[in-house]
């Protein structure tokens, strides 16, 4: 079969790397991809949100399956677009339709879903500019810190956590009345602050059945000790050492099962990955958020720990035969450390020549923001390269990643030296 992966980051590089190893796969296409995805398949220069471009590429290249990396094509309805087109409807899309993608596309939708299905999450209320006064009263009734979430997609920046009540009110007004996050903050969810340690579960579902993929923990802040601005993710560890069997059993019975069953009860079809952001509070799991795709850089540790053939797994999803699939995973730990451009997540320079890539032998390099220029690999984004390694535990794996990083260089390269510090 021929598979098209939509997206261009470390996540898509990892999916391409894994799918290229499948005996079932003839050709892997990545759109638009990066300098690294060319090692596993063919890059197609198109915009995943331009569905007619996607259609043309799918028909021209005899694509048999589309795997959607990022959330925006899903929220924009790429799966629905395929189902509504006579020439495309037989081609499976891995990723939910627009309605289910609202689990990520609207915080309020996700909260209502969780409430309806008794899935543990922080208590909340949502507000628009028309009930700003009630929102202030609600804030008055809470104790700090205050958690304000833009309802819509805000590129991971739409959540504010504030200690001061007056500042929280000011920010709330900025969000609701002055569109601090554009249309995304025309509605704001205010919720209780949960104090605990975060991790993520990854589930693949065909709408009826599910398999639980390896879990992971990512490090979102730019600075060591989890300080500073939020990024897309600076590193990840899988499995999560504090997620013992008892805790994972709670996650499955209280969160994963009710999520898949809740979708069924609500008649919301779902084919694809569910990424459940969790927080462990006094040994009890709560949902912080749903994403309707894999995480980045979590994919760079989760997928390498899957021993099963990924194309077979995704075919079982498309055929709704996931109940017959026996997932095999690698017992070892995997870690990834993200190399980023100096300045990221604020402004940064691109087009820095990256050297030393061919010196790395003990890690897998997943390209993120890279491009090829005159035969040289150059930086082309904030997050540039994801350096993944295996080890008997996460410490050994991390040591390998950091040793590999010593061989890689580009001007103003930055990375966190403390991934896993809190484990
Ligand atoms: P979200 O976009 O909903 O994942 O929120 C972004 C980040 O804000 C999460 O990864 C958490 O670190 C933090 N966060 C969100 N909601 C809460 C909450 N209710 N209590 C504590 N921290 C939260
Ligand atoms: N690493 C977090 C995310 O992919 O949303």
């Amino acid at each position: 079969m021929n598979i098209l992966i939509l997206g261009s980051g470390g996540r898509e590089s990892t999916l391409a790397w894994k799918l290229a190893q499948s005996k079932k796969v003839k050709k892997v296409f990545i759109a638009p991809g990066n300098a690294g995805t060319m090692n596993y398949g063919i890059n197609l220069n198109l915009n995943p949100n331009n569905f007619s471009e996607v259609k043309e590429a799918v028909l021209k290249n005899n694509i048999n399956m589309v795997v959607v990396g990022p959330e925006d094509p899903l929220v924009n309805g790429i799966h629905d677009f395929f189902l509504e087109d006579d020439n495309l409807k037989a081609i499976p899309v891995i990723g939910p339709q627009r309605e289910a993608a609202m689990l990520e596309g609207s915080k309020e939708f996700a909260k209502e879903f969780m409430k309806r299905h008794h899935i543990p999450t922080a208590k909340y209320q949502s507000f628009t500019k028309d009930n700003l006064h009630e929102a202030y009263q609600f804030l008055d009734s809470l104790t700090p810190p205050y958690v304000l979430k833009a309802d819509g997609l805000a590129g991971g920046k739409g959540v504010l956590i504030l200690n001061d009540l007056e500042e929280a009110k000011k920010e709330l007004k900025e969000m609701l009345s002055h569109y601090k996050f554009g249309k995304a903050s025309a509605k704001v969810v205010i919720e209780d602050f949960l104090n605990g340690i975060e991790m993520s579960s990854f589930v693949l579902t065909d709408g009826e059945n599910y398999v639980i993929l390896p879990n992971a923990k990512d490090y979102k802040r730019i600075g060591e000790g989890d300080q500073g601005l939020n990024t897309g993710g600076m590193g990840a560890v899988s499995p999560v050492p504090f997620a013992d069997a008892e805790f994972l059993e709670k996650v499955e019975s209280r969160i994963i099962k009710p999520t898949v069953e809740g979708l069924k009860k609500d008649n919301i079809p779902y084919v694809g990955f569910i990424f459940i952001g969790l927080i462990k509070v006094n040994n009890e799991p709560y949902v912080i958020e749903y994403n309707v795709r894999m995480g980045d850089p979590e994919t760079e540790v989760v997928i390498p720990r899957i021993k099963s053939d990924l194309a077979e797994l995704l075919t079982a999803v498309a055929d709704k035969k996931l109940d017959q699939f026996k997932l095999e995973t690698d017992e070892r730990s995997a870690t990834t450390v993200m190399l980023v451009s100096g300045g990221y997540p604020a402004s940064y320079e691109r087009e820095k020549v990256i050297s030393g890539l061919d010196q790395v032998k003990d890690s897998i390099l997943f390209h993120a923001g890279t491009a090829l220029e005159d035969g040289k690999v150059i930086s082309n984004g904030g997050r540039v390269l994801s350096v993944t390694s295996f080890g008997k535990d996460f410490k050994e794996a991390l040591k390998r990643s950091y040793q590999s990083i010593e061989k890689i260089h580009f001007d103003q390269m930055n990375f966190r030296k403390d991934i896993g510090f809190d484990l």
Side-chain angles (χ1 to χ4, degrees), residues 13-89:
S13 290
T14 313
L15 292 168
W17 168 83
K18 181 71 178 164
L19 287 168
Q21 295 168 36
S22 167
K23 287 192 293 286
K24 295 228 172 253
V25 174
K26 205 159 89 196
K27 281 188 195 156
V28 179
F29 295 85
I30 313 93
N34 57 44
T37 54
M38 293 177 193
N39 297 322
Y40 319 123
I42 300 162
N43 285 357
L44 301 176
N45 187 14
L46 62 82
N47 172 1
N49 284 303
N50 185 332
F51 299 163
S52 52
E53 273 182 34
V54 174
K55 174 178 173 174
E56 202 185 306
V58 163
L59 297 177
K60 185 171 158 216
N61 297 295
N62 299 314
I63 300 295
N64 309 102
M65 177 184 282
V66 179
V67 181
V68 185
E71 63 278 14
D72 34 338
L74 295 168
V75 174
N76 292 339
I78 191 161
H79 195 154
D80 313 69
F81 175 86
F82 270 62
L83 292 174
E84 286 156 14
D85 188 302
D86 282 340
N87 295 314
L88 298 178
K89 66 180 173 206

Coordinates of all heavy atoms in Angstrom, one line a residue, residues 13-89:
S13 N 7.9 12.8 11.0 CA 9.2 12.1 10.7 C 9.2 10.7 11.3 O 9.6 9.7 10.7 CB 10.4 12.8 11.3 OG 10.6 14.0 10.6
T14 N 8.7 10.6 12.6 CA 8.7 9.3 13.3 C 7.7 8.4 12.6 O 8.0 7.2 12.5 CB 8.4 9.6 14.8 OG1 9.2 10.6 15.2 CG2 8.6 8.3 15.6
L15 N 6.5 8.9 12.3 CA 5.5 8.1 11.6 C 6.0 7.5 10.3 O 5.9 6.4 10.0 CB 4.2 8.8 11.4 CG 3.5 9.2 12.7 CD1 2.4 10.2 12.4 CD2 2.9 8.0 13.4
A16 N 6.7 8.4 9.6 CA 7.3 8.0 8.3 C 8.4 7.0 8.4 O 8.4 6.0 7.7 CB 7.8 9.2 7.5
W17 N 9.3 7.2 9.4 CA 10.3 6.2 9.7 C 9.8 4.8 10.0 O 10.2 3.8 9.5 CB 11.1 6.8 11.0 CG 12.0 5.9 11.7 CD1 13.3 5.6 11.3 CD2 11.8 5.1 12.9 NE1 13.9 4.7 12.2 CE2 13.0 4.4 13.2 CE3 10.7 4.9 13.7 CZ2 13.1 3.6 14.3 CZ3 10.8 4.1 14.8 CH2 12.0 3.4 15.1
K18 N 8.7 4.8 10.8 CA 8.1 3.5 11.2 C 7.3 2.9 10.1 O 7.4 1.7 9.9 CB 7.2 3.8 12.4 CG 6.5 2.6 13.0 CD 7.4 1.7 13.7 CE 6.7 0.5 14.3 NZ 7.6 -0.6 14.7
L19 N 6.6 3.7 9.3 CA 5.8 3.1 8.2 C 6.7 2.6 7.1 O 6.4 1.6 6.5 CB 4.8 4.1 7.7 CG 3.6 4.4 8.7 CD1 2.8 5.6 8.3 CD2 2.7 3.1 8.7
A20 N 7.8 3.3 6.9 CA 8.8 2.8 5.9 C 9.3 1.5 6.2 O 9.8 0.8 5.3 CB 9.9 3.9 5.7
Q21 N 9.3 1.0 7.5 CA 9.8 -0.3 7.8 C 8.8 -1.4 7.6 O 9.1 -2.6 7.8 CB 10.2 -0.3 9.3 CG 11.3 0.6 9.7 CD 11.4 0.8 11.2 OE1 11.2 -0.1 12.0 NE2 11.8 2.0 11.6
S22 N 7.6 -1.0 7.3 CA 6.5 -2.0 7.1 C 6.6 -2.8 5.8 O 6.9 -2.2 4.8 CB 5.2 -1.4 7.2 OG 4.2 -2.3 6.8
K23 N 6.4 -4.1 5.9 CA 6.4 -5.0 4.7 C 5.2 -4.6 3.8 O 5.2 -4.9 2.6 CB 6.4 -6.4 5.1 CG 7.7 -6.9 5.7 CD 7.8 -8.5 5.8 CE 6.8 -9.0 6.8 NZ 7.2 -8.8 8.2
K24 N 4.2 -4.1 4.5 CA 3.0 -3.8 3.7 C 3.0 -2.6 2.9 O 2.2 -2.3 2.0 CB 1.8 -3.6 4.7 CG 1.4 -4.8 5.5 CD -0.1 -5.0 5.5 CE -0.5 -6.2 6.1 NZ -0.9 -7.3 5.3
V25 N 4.0 -1.7 3.2 CA 4.0 -0.4 2.6 C 5.0 -0.4 1.4 O 6.1 -0.7 1.5 CB 4.5 0.7 3.6 CG1 4.6 2.0 3.0 CG2 3.4 0.7 4.7
K26 N 4.4 0.1 0.3 CA 5.3 0.2 -0.9 C 5.9 1.6 -0.9 O 7.2 1.7 -0.9 CB 4.4 0.1 -2.2 CG 5.2 -0.4 -3.4 CD 4.3 -1.0 -4.4 CE 3.8 0.1 -5.4 NZ 2.7 -0.3 -6.2
K27 N 5.1 2.7 -0.8 CA 5.7 4.0 -0.8 C 5.1 4.8 0.3 O 3.9 4.8 0.6 CB 5.4 4.7 -2.1 CG 6.3 4.3 -3.2 CD 6.1 5.2 -4.4 CE 6.7 4.7 -5.7 NZ 6.0 5.2 -6.8
V28 N 5.9 5.6 1.0 CA 5.5 6.6 2.0 C 5.6 8.0 1.4 O 6.6 8.3 0.8 CB 6.3 6.5 3.3 CG1 5.8 7.6 4.3 CG2 6.3 5.1 3.9
F29 N 4.6 8.8 1.4 CA 4.6 10.2 1.0 C 4.4 11.0 2.2 O 3.6 10.7 3.1 CB 3.5 10.5 0.0 CG 3.7 9.7 -1.3 CD1 3.2 8.4 -1.5 CD2 4.4 10.3 -2.4 CE1 3.4 7.8 -2.7 CE2 4.5 9.7 -3.6 CZ 4.0 8.4 -3.7
I30 N 5.1 12.2 2.3 CA 4.9 13.1 3.4 C 4.7 14.5 2.9 O 5.4 14.9 2.0 CB 6.2 13.1 4.3 CG1 6.6 11.7 4.7 CG2 5.8 13.9 5.6 CD1 7.7 11.1 3.8
A31 N 3.6 15.1 3.4 CA 3.3 16.4 2.8 C 3.1 17.4 3.9 O 2.2 17.2 4.7 CB 2.0 16.3 2.0
P32 N 3.9 18.5 4.0 CA 5.0 18.8 3.1 C 6.3 18.1 3.6 O 7.2 18.0 2.8 CB 5.1 20.3 3.2 CG 4.6 20.6 4.6 CD 3.6 19.6 5.0
G33 N 6.4 17.5 4.8 CA 7.6 16.9 5.2 C 8.8 17.9 5.5 O 8.6 19.1 5.6
N34 N 10.0 17.3 5.7 CA 11.1 18.1 6.0 C 12.4 17.4 5.4 O 12.2 16.4 4.7 CB 11.2 18.4 7.5 CG 11.3 17.1 8.3 OD1 12.0 16.1 7.9 ND2 10.6 17.0 9.4
A35 N 13.6 17.9 5.7 CA 14.8 17.3 5.2 C 15.0 15.9 5.6 O 15.6 15.1 4.9 CB 16.0 18.1 5.5
G36 N 14.4 15.5 6.8 CA 14.6 14.1 7.3 C 13.6 13.1 6.7 O 13.9 12.0 6.5
T37 N 12.4 13.6 6.4 CA 11.4 12.7 5.9 C 11.8 12.1 4.5 O 11.3 11.0 4.1 CB 10.0 13.3 5.9 OG1 10.1 14.5 5.1 CG2 9.5 13.6 7.3
M38 N 12.6 12.8 3.8 CA 13.1 12.4 2.5 C 13.9 11.1 2.6 O 14.0 10.4 1.6 CB 14.0 13.4 1.9 CG 13.4 14.7 1.5 SD 14.6 15.8 0.9 CE 13.8 17.3 0.9
N39 N 14.4 10.8 3.8 CA 15.1 9.5 4.0 C 14.1 8.3 4.0 O 14.5 7.1 3.9 CB 15.9 9.5 5.3 CG 17.0 10.5 5.3 OD1 17.6 10.8 4.3 ND2 17.2 11.2 6.4
Y40 N 12.8 8.6 4.3 CA 11.9 7.5 4.4 C 10.8 7.4 3.3 O 10.1 6.5 3.2 CB 11.1 7.6 5.7 CG 12.0 8.0 6.9 CD1 11.7 9.1 7.7 CD2 13.1 7.3 7.2 CE1 12.5 9.5 8.7 CE2 13.9 7.6 8.3 CZ 13.6 8.8 9.0 OH 14.4 9.2 10.1
G41 N 10.8 8.5 2.5 CA 9.7 8.5 1.5 C 9.9 9.7 0.6 O 10.9 10.3 0.5
I42 N 8.8 10.1 0.0 CA 8.8 11.2 -1.0 C 8.0 12.4 -0.4 O 6.9 12.2 0.1 CB 8.1 10.7 -2.3 CG1 8.9 9.5 -2.8 CG2 8.0 11.9 -3.3 CD1 8.1 8.7 -3.8
N43 N 8.7 13.5 -0.3 CA 8.0 14.7 0.1 C 7.1 15.3 -1.0 O 7.5 15.4 -2.1 CB 9.0 15.8 0.6 CG 9.7 15.5 1.9 OD1 9.3 14.5 2.5 ND2 10.6 16.3 2.3
L44 N 5.9 15.8 -0.6 CA 5.0 16.4 -1.5 C 4.8 17.9 -1.0 O 4.4 18.0 0.1 CB 3.7 15.7 -1.6 CG 3.7 14.3 -2.1 CD1 2.3 13.7 -2.0 CD2 4.3 14.1 -3.5
N45 N 5.1 18.8 -1.9 CA 5.0 20.2 -1.4 C 3.6 20.7 -1.5 O 3.1 21.3 -2.5 CB 5.9 21.0 -2.3 CG 6.0 22.5 -1.8 OD1 5.6 22.7 -0.7 ND2 6.5 23.4 -2.6
L46 N 2.8 20.4 -0.5 CA 1.4 20.9 -0.5 C 1.0 21.3 1.0 O 1.7 20.9 1.9 CB 0.5 19.9 -1.1 CG 0.3 18.5 -0.4 CD1 -0.7 18.6 0.8 CD2 -0.2 17.5 -1.4
N47 N -0.1 22.0 1.1 CA -0.6 22.5 2.4 C -1.7 21.5 2.8 O -2.7 21.4 2.2 CB -1.1 23.9 2.2 CG -1.8 24.4 3.4 OD1 -1.9 23.7 4.4 ND2 -2.3 25.6 3.3
P48 N -1.5 20.8 4.0 CA -2.4 19.9 4.4 C -3.8 20.5 4.7 O -4.8 19.7 4.8 CB -1.9 19.4 5.8 CG -0.4 19.7 5.7 CD -0.3 20.9 4.8
N49 N -3.9 21.8 4.8 CA -5.2 22.4 5.0 C -5.9 22.8 3.7 O -7.0 23.3 3.7 CB -5.1 23.6 5.9 CG -5.0 23.2 7.3 OD1 -5.8 22.5 7.9 ND2 -3.9 23.6 8.0
N50 N -5.2 22.6 2.6 CA -5.8 22.8 1.3 C -6.3 21.5 0.7 O -5.5 20.7 0.1 CB -4.8 23.5 0.3 CG -5.4 23.8 -1.0 OD1 -6.3 23.2 -1.5 ND2 -4.8 24.8 -1.6
F51 N -7.5 21.2 1.0 CA -8.0 19.8 0.7 C -8.0 19.4 -0.7 O -7.9 18.3 -1.1 CB -9.4 19.6 1.4 CG -9.4 19.7 2.9 CD1 -10.6 19.9 3.6 CD2 -8.2 19.7 3.6 CE1 -10.6 20.1 5.0 CE2 -8.2 19.9 5.0 CZ -9.4 20.1 5.7
S52 N -8.2 20.4 -1.6 CA -8.2 20.0 -3.0 C -6.8 19.7 -3.5 O -6.6 18.8 -4.3 CB -8.9 21.1 -3.9 OG -8.3 22.3 -3.7
E53 N -5.8 20.3 -2.9 CA -4.4 19.9 -3.2 C -4.1 18.5 -2.7 O -3.5 17.7 -3.3 CB -3.4 20.9 -2.5 CG -3.1 22.1 -3.3 CD -2.0 23.0 -2.5 OE1 -1.2 22.5 -1.8 OE2 -2.2 24.2 -2.7
V54 N -4.7 18.2 -1.5 CA -4.5 16.9 -0.9 C -5.2 15.8 -1.8 O -4.6 14.8 -2.1 CB -5.1 16.8 0.5 CG1 -5.0 15.4 1.1 CG2 -4.3 17.8 1.5
K55 N -6.4 16.2 -2.2 CA -7.1 15.2 -3.1 C -6.3 14.9 -4.4 O -6.2 13.7 -4.8 CB -8.5 15.8 -3.5 CG -9.2 15.0 -4.5 CD -10.6 15.6 -4.8 CE -11.2 14.8 -6.0 NZ -12.6 15.2 -6.3
E56 N -5.8 15.9 -5.0 CA -5.1 15.8 -6.2 C -3.9 14.8 -6.0 O -3.6 13.9 -6.8 CB -4.6 17.1 -6.7 CG -4.3 17.2 -8.2 CD -3.7 18.6 -8.5 OE1 -4.3 19.6 -8.2 OE2 -2.6 18.6 -9.1
A57 N -3.1 15.1 -4.9 CA -2.0 14.3 -4.6 C -2.3 12.8 -4.3 O -1.6 11.9 -4.7 CB -1.2 14.9 -3.4
V58 N -3.5 12.6 -3.6 CA -3.9 11.3 -3.2 C -4.2 10.5 -4.5 O -3.9 9.3 -4.6 CB -5.1 11.4 -2.3 CG1 -5.9 10.1 -2.2 CG2 -4.7 11.8 -0.9
L59 N -4.9 11.1 -5.4 CA -5.3 10.4 -6.6 C -4.1 10.1 -7.6 O -4.0 9.1 -8.1 CB -6.5 11.1 -7.4 CG -7.8 11.3 -6.5 CD1 -8.8 12.1 -7.3 CD2 -8.3 9.9 -6.2
K60 N -3.3 11.1 -7.7 CA -2.2 11.0 -8.6 C -1.2 10.0 -8.1 O -0.6 9.2 -8.9 CB -1.5 12.4 -8.6 CG -0.3 12.5 -9.6 CD 0.2 13.9 -9.8 CE 1.6 13.8 -10.3 NZ 2.5 14.9 -9.7
N61 N -1.0 9.8 -6.8 CA 0.0 8.9 -6.3 C -0.6 7.6 -5.8 O 0.1 6.8 -5.1 CB 0.8 9.6 -5.1 CG 1.6 10.8 -5.6 OD1 2.5 10.6 -6.4 ND2 1.2 12.0 -5.2
N62 N -1.8 7.3 -6.1 CA -2.5 6.0 -5.7 C -2.3 5.8 -4.2 O -1.9 4.7 -3.8 CB -1.9 4.9 -6.5 CG -2.2 5.0 -8.0 OD1 -3.3 5.4 -8.4 ND2 -1.2 4.8 -8.8
I63 N -2.7 6.7 -3.4 CA -2.6 6.6 -2.0 C -3.7 5.7 -1.5 O -4.9 5.9 -1.9 CB -2.7 8.0 -1.3 CG1 -1.6 9.0 -1.8 CG2 -2.8 7.9 0.2 CD1 -0.2 8.6 -1.4
N64 N -3.4 4.8 -0.6 CA -4.4 3.9 0.0 C -4.8 4.2 1.4 O -5.7 3.6 2.0 CB -3.8 2.5 0.0 CG -3.3 2.1 -1.4 OD1 -2.1 2.0 -1.6 ND2 -4.3 1.8 -2.3
M65 N -4.0 5.1 2.0 CA -4.4 5.5 3.4 C -3.7 6.9 3.7 O -2.6 7.1 3.3 CB -3.9 4.5 4.4 CG -4.1 4.9 5.9 SD -3.4 3.7 7.0 CE -4.6 2.4 7.0
V66 N -4.5 7.7 4.5 CA -3.9 9.0 4.8 C -3.9 9.1 6.4 O -4.8 8.8 7.1 CB -4.8 10.2 4.3 CG1 -4.3 11.5 4.8 CG2 -5.0 10.1 2.8
V67 N -2.7 9.4 6.9 CA -2.5 9.6 8.3 C -2.3 11.1 8.6 O -1.4 11.7 8.0 CB -1.2 8.8 8.8 CG1 -1.1 8.9 10.3 CG2 -1.3 7.3 8.4
V68 N -3.2 11.6 9.4 CA -3.1 13.1 9.6 C -2.3 13.3 10.9 O -2.7 12.9 12.0 CB -4.6 13.7 9.8 CG1 -4.5 15.2 9.9 CG2 -5.4 13.3 8.6
G69 N -1.2 14.1 10.8 CA -0.4 14.4 11.9 C -0.9 15.5 12.8 O -1.3 15.2 14.0
P70 N -1.1 16.7 12.4 CA -1.5 17.8 13.3 C -3.1 17.9 13.3 O -3.8 17.2 12.6 CB -1.0 19.0 12.6 CG -0.8 18.7 11.2 CD -0.6 17.2 11.1
E71 N -3.5 18.7 14.3 CA -5.0 18.8 14.5 C -5.7 19.7 13.6 O -6.9 19.4 13.3 CB -5.2 19.3 16.0 CG -4.8 20.7 16.3 CD -3.3 20.8 16.6 OE1 -2.5 19.9 16.4 OE2 -2.8 21.9 17.1
D72 N -5.1 20.7 13.0 CA -5.9 21.6 12.2 C -6.6 21.1 11.0 O -7.8 21.4 10.8 CB -5.2 23.0 12.0 CG -3.8 22.9 11.7 OD1 -3.2 21.9 12.2 OD2 -3.2 23.8 11.1
P73 N -6.0 20.2 10.2 CA -6.8 19.6 9.1 C -8.0 18.8 9.6 O -9.0 18.8 9.0 CB -5.8 18.7 8.4 CG -4.4 19.1 8.8 CD -4.6 19.7 10.2
L74 N -7.8 18.2 10.8 CA -9.0 17.4 11.4 C -10.1 18.3 11.8 O -11.2 18.1 11.5 CB -8.4 16.6 12.6 CG -7.4 15.5 12.2 CD1 -6.8 14.9 13.4 CD2 -8.1 14.4 11.4
V75 N -9.7 19.4 12.6 CA -10.7 20.3 13.0 C -11.4 21.0 11.8 O -12.6 21.3 11.8 CB -10.1 21.4 14.0 CG1 -11.0 22.5 14.4 CG2 -9.6 20.7 15.2
N76 N -10.6 21.2 10.7 CA -11.1 21.8 9.5 C -11.9 20.8 8.7 O -12.5 21.1 7.6 CB -10.0 22.4 8.6 CG -9.4 23.6 9.3 OD1 -9.9 24.2 10.1 ND2 -8.1 23.9 8.9
G77 N -12.0 19.5 9.1 CA -12.8 18.6 8.4 C -12.3 17.8 7.3 O -13.0 17.4 6.4
I78 N -11.0 17.4 7.4 CA -10.4 16.7 6.2 C -11.0 15.3 6.1 O -11.3 14.8 5.0 CB -8.9 16.6 6.3 CG1 -8.3 16.1 5.0 CG2 -8.4 15.8 7.5 CD1 -6.9 16.4 4.7
H79 N -11.3 14.7 7.2 CA -11.9 13.3 7.2 C -13.3 13.4 6.5 O -13.7 12.6 5.7 CB -11.9 12.7 8.6 CG -12.2 11.2 8.5 ND1 -11.8 10.4 9.5 CD2 -12.8 10.4 7.6 CE1 -12.1 9.1 9.2 NE2 -12.8 9.2 8.1
D80 N -14.1 14.4 6.9 CA -15.4 14.6 6.3 C -15.3 14.8 4.8 O -16.1 14.3 4.1 CB -16.1 15.8 7.0 CG -16.0 15.7 8.5 OD1 -14.9 15.9 9.0 OD2 -17.0 15.5 9.2
F81 N -14.3 15.6 4.5 CA -14.1 15.9 3.0 C -13.9 14.6 2.2 O -14.5 14.5 1.2 CB -12.9 16.9 2.9 CG -12.4 17.2 1.5 CD1 -13.0 18.2 0.8 CD2 -11.4 16.5 0.9 CE1 -12.6 18.6 -0.5 CE2 -11.0 16.8 -0.4 CZ -11.6 17.8 -1.1
F82 N -13.1 13.7 2.8 CA -12.9 12.4 2.1 C -14.2 11.7 2.0 O -14.5 11.1 1.0 CB -11.8 11.6 2.9 CG -10.4 11.9 2.4 CD1 -9.8 13.2 2.5 CD2 -9.7 10.9 1.8 CE1 -8.6 13.4 2.0 CE2 -8.4 11.1 1.3 CZ -7.8 12.4 1.4
L83 N -14.9 11.6 3.1 CA -16.2 10.8 3.1 C -17.2 11.4 2.1 O -18.0 10.6 1.6 CB -16.8 10.7 4.5 CG -15.9 9.9 5.5 CD1 -16.5 10.1 6.9 CD2 -15.8 8.5 5.1
E84 N -17.2 12.7 1.9 CA -18.2 13.3 1.0 C -17.8 13.3 -0.4 O -18.5 13.8 -1.3 CB -18.4 14.8 1.5 CG -19.1 14.9 2.8 CD -18.9 16.2 3.6 OE1 -18.3 17.1 3.0 OE2 -19.2 16.2 4.8
D85 N -16.6 12.8 -0.7 CA -16.1 12.8 -2.1 C -16.1 11.4 -2.7 O -15.5 10.5 -2.1 CB -14.7 13.4 -2.1 CG -14.2 13.6 -3.6 OD1 -14.1 12.6 -4.4 OD2 -13.8 14.7 -3.9
D86 N -16.8 11.2 -3.8 CA -17.0 9.8 -4.3 C -15.6 9.2 -4.7 O -15.5 8.0 -4.6 CB -17.9 9.8 -5.6 CG -19.3 9.9 -5.2 OD1 -19.6 9.6 -4.0 OD2 -20.1 10.4 -6.0
N87 N -14.7 10.0 -5.1 CA -13.4 9.4 -5.5 C -12.5 9.1 -4.3 O -11.4 8.5 -4.4 CB -12.6 10.4 -6.4 CG -13.3 10.5 -7.7 OD1 -13.8 9.5 -8.3 ND2 -13.5 11.8 -8.1
L88 N -12.8 9.7 -3.1 CA -12.0 9.6 -1.9 C -12.5 8.7 -0.8 O -11.8 8.3 0.1 CB -11.6 11.0 -1.4 CG -10.9 12.0 -2.3 CD1 -10.8 13.3 -1.5 CD2 -9.5 11.4 -2.6
K89 N -13.8 8.5 -0.9 CA -14.5 8.0 0.3 C -14.0 6.6 0.7 O -14.1 6.2 1.9 CB -16.0 8.1 0.2 CG -16.7 7.2 -0.8 CD -18.2 7.5 -0.7 CE -18.9 6.8 -1.8 NZ -20.1 7.4 -2.1

